[in-house]
Amino acid sequence: MPAILFVCRHNACRSQIAEALGRKLAPEDWGIESAGSHPPKDLDPKAVAILRRYGIRMHRHTPQGFSTLEPRTWDFVVDISCEKAGKGVSAKNYVEWDLADPLDGPMDLYKRLFDDLESRIRDLFRGIQPPRR
């Protein structure tokens, strides 16, 4: 059972969307989480809205930092922050995706982020799990 952690600076938008998509796309026994290096108090409401548009819910209703995670070595840490936010997290594999934060921009930016994350997560998961026969 792979354990995958999506990280970004705030855990209010990008990594939260990635976690929600990951939980939807992964087999049930995979461990999918997200965290941020500098979590704020609230989620990005547009991130919540873009997921709701596709019938997906966030697992948590507040951003979380690394200190709230159980100590472990992750199979994959996927850093979406462009800032190496997850470099201090113990991982067997460290992946960087250069995805800009939509920063309360138009919903079209959130839609593009959602689509990009969905494609990247599907590709990542295909590489982790052998094809079904």
Side-chain angles (χ1 to χ4, degrees):
M1 156 173 107
I4 301 163
L5 177 66
F6 294 99
V7 302
C8 67
R9 181 174 176 78
H10 295 120
N11 190 235
C13 180
R14 293 170 292 178
S15 58
Q16 285 271 2
I17 293 172
E19 177 185 357
L21 279 165
R23 286 176 179 271
K24 178 183 178 208
L25 298 171
E28 208 171 282
D29 63 342
W30 287 22
I32 310 289
E33 292 285 337
S34 68
S37 57
H38 297 85
K41 188 176 89 170
D42 297 314
L43 294 173
D44 180 329
K46 290 182 180 178
V48 175
I50 197 68
L51 287 171
R52 189 174 294 138
R53 181 184 292 181
Y54 294 97
I56 304 170
R57 292 178 175 259
M58 289 188 178
H59 181 65
R60 254 179 340 289
H61 299 289
T62 57
Q64 75 174 346
F66 298 127
S67 64
T68 63
L69 298 170
E70 291 184 31
R72 70 183 308 169
T73 298
W74 296 88
D75 293 301
F76 287 85
V77 168
V78 181
D79 191 329
I80 305 169
S81 70
C82 318
E83 300 174 354
K84 300 191 183 320
K87 269 299 192 189
V89 178
S90 179
K92 296 175 187 171
N93 300 282
Y94 188 82
V95 179
E96 290 181 283
W97 293 343
D98 187 9
L99 299 174
D101 191 329
L103 296 171
D104 196 31
M107 283 304 289
D108 184 56
L109 289 177
Y110 288 81
K111 168 74 168 99
R112 282 187 282 188
L113 174 65
F114 178 93
D115 291 343
D116 195 357
L117 281 168
E118 183 178 33
S119 175
R120 289 173 188 249
I121 290 168
R122 284 184 188 279
D123 288 346
L124 175 69
F125 287 4
R126 269 193 291 276
I128 295 171
Q129 183 174 354
R132 295 179 190 216
R133 293 185 175 172

